[in-house]
Amino acid sequence: MKVLIVYAHPEQRSLNGSLRDVAVRELVAQGHEVRVSDLYAEGWKSEVDRGDFPSLPVDARLAVAAASKQAFEAGTLTADVKGEIEKLLWADALILQFPLWWFSMPAILKGWVDRVFAYGFGYGVGEHSDKRWGDRYGEGTLAGKRAMLIVTAGGWQDHYSARGVNGPIDDLLFPINHGILYYPGYDVLPPFVAYQTDRFDEAAFGATAERLRERMRTLATTLPIPYRRQNGGDYIIPSMQLRAGLESPGARGFALHLDSAHEGGAPSKPGAMRSTADLREETA
Ligand code: FAD
């Protein structure tokens, strides 16, 4: 497979830097081709502004989505953004790697998403009508490819459990896994999460590195999170609400969008499904 790692940490000699090297070495050892976008090292510009749309007339009001659409269609996005789009189209699998900062991704990585997932590429894809709300959530430009997160957190795993004070890690990562990766079509694998990382010693690092190597060895075969497809019949058009009665007993909030009916069974789309219990085990 061709694998793109988008790495967001300001220090090469960090824990994240070491884990990235572990991942790259294992992927290469498995015969995969690997490219890394090292956002800090490359001086990635994180904010969207007029400079992103050089063909926009100087006196025109900047409407970001419209400017993004126009620039993507005309091929006038900036060279750095076009370069990342080319890498995403090249890669069979995308890995976003970052330390959890304020329960989310560092700003530089969010800015990578804001700029690279352009209108017509990451969103605004497919037919938008009273019968169809575009190609998204399981369909879109990046459908058929895989994506996963590598995340380090300072907090304890218990604090991120179902009743933990930080909120469940699957909920905290839902906007990234579902909103950013599943939206443009990726099959999203369960995240790799390392906890209590600020207190890492050699033993903790060794165990985490081995767990990560195993995830890299199974990158092509790990079952994706069983998110529901938007256009698979589970949602009412045009309100896009989940049809009554489809949820598993007690499911609320983000968990509504997991297709528990396919836990361990036949998938409703190409690529197989994974149970939420399995997901929890994988993030342990
Ligand atoms: P580093 O600081 O580089 O290293 C961590 C430890 O690992 C150190 O003890 C280091 O000696 C050791 N180490 C590094 N490399 C190796 C190696 N090769 N072998 C052995 N040991 C090694 N945490 C949360 O849980 N939730 C939050 O919302 C959150 N918000 C944050 C916001 C900010 C702005 C910051 C700065 C931190 C936040 N944290 C939070 C903590 C953060 O997630 C961790 O500090 C981070 O994940 C650790 O990763 P790192 O690569 O920066 O580690």
Side-chain angles (χ1 to χ4, degrees):
M1 281 204 302
K2 300 186 179 88
V3 183
L4 172 64
I5 299 178
V6 179
Y7 169 79
H9 196 289
E11 171 60 61
Q12 301 299 326
R13 294 161 298 174
S14 61
L15 176 62
N16 268 274
S18 295
L19 292 176
R20 175 203 55 199
D21 293 346
V22 165
V24 170
R25 273 197 299 270
E26 187 60 37
L27 289 167
V28 170
Q30 297 297 317
H32 300 306
E33 278 182 73
V34 184
R35 293 165 82 178
V36 177
S37 290
D38 185 337
L39 299 186
Y40 282 95
E42 292 162 18
W44 180 260
K45 168 183 174 285
S46 59
E47 68 281 7
V48 175
D49 59 19
R50 285 192 91 85
D52 287 321
F53 312 109
S55 59
L56 187 73
V58 283
D59 56 348
R61 186 178 77 86
L62 172 61
V64 173
S68 178
K69 179 174 193 281
Q70 194 280 329
F72 178 71
E73 286 173 355
T76 57
L77 289 166
T78 55
D80 58 349
V81 170
K82 283 201 249 188
E84 296 302 299
I85 288 176
E86 180 270 315
K87 289 184 213 171
L88 288 172
L89 293 173
W90 168 86
D92 304 306
L94 168 68
I95 295 174
L96 303 181
Q97 186 190 346
F98 58 92
L100 196 67
W101 281 359
W102 289 109
F103 303 100
S104 188
M105 52 172 71
I108 198 168
L109 181 54
K110 177 58 164 49
W112 178 88
V113 176
D114 289 346
R115 297 185 59 227
V116 175
F117 282 25
Y119 192 123
F121 177 71
Y123 66 108
V125 175
E127 177 190 336
H128 285 74
S129 66
D130 54 355
K131 295 193 185 62
R132 192 176 171 89
W133 206 277
D135 296 349
R136 59 175 192 170
Y137 295 123
E139 297 172 55
T141 308
L142 299 164
K145 299 171 183 282
R146 315 192 122 216
M148 72 173 274
L149 306 180
I150 296 177
V151 183
T152 63
W156 292 23
Q157 185 172 355
D158 281 351
H159 300 186
Y160 288 101
S161 63
R163 296 174 67 84
V165 68
N166 290 341
I169 194 71
D170 288 343
D171 283 3
L172 294 170
L173 296 180
F174 183 91
I176 303 173
N177 278 332
H178 186 266
I180 292 173
L181 296 174
Y182 192 56
Y183 192 105
Y186 282 113
D187 282 337
V188 184
L189 308 188
F192 177 90
V193 185
Y195 297 97
Q196 274 184 279
T197 51
D198 291 323
R199 301 189 177 193
F200 257 36
D201 56 17
E202 289 303 324
F205 179 80
T208 301
E210 185 44 38
R211 203 159 56 84
L212 181 58
R213 278 192 283 271
E214 176 60 14
R215 286 299 305 269
M216 296 300 96
R217 283 193 285 272
T218 55
L219 186 64
T221 55
T222 297
L223 301 180
I225 301 170
Y227 291 132
R228 297 175 189 278
R229 298 180 76 186
Q230 171 182 275
N231 298 321
D234 288 356
Y235 296 93
I236 301 162
I237 300 170
S239 68
M240 305 316 296
Q241 296 185 62
L242 184 66
R243 292 184 191 282
L246 289 184
E247 66 272 28
S248 52
R252 297 172 56 197
F254 295 143
L256 290 175
H257 306 291
L258 290 170
D259 188 358
S260 57
H262 290 93
E263 280 184 355
S268 65
K269 63 168 192 166
M273 297 299 180
R274 180 162 208 82
S275 75
T276 48
D278 286 343
L279 304 186
R280 279 190 210 100
E281 199 177 302
E282 293 243 359
T283 56

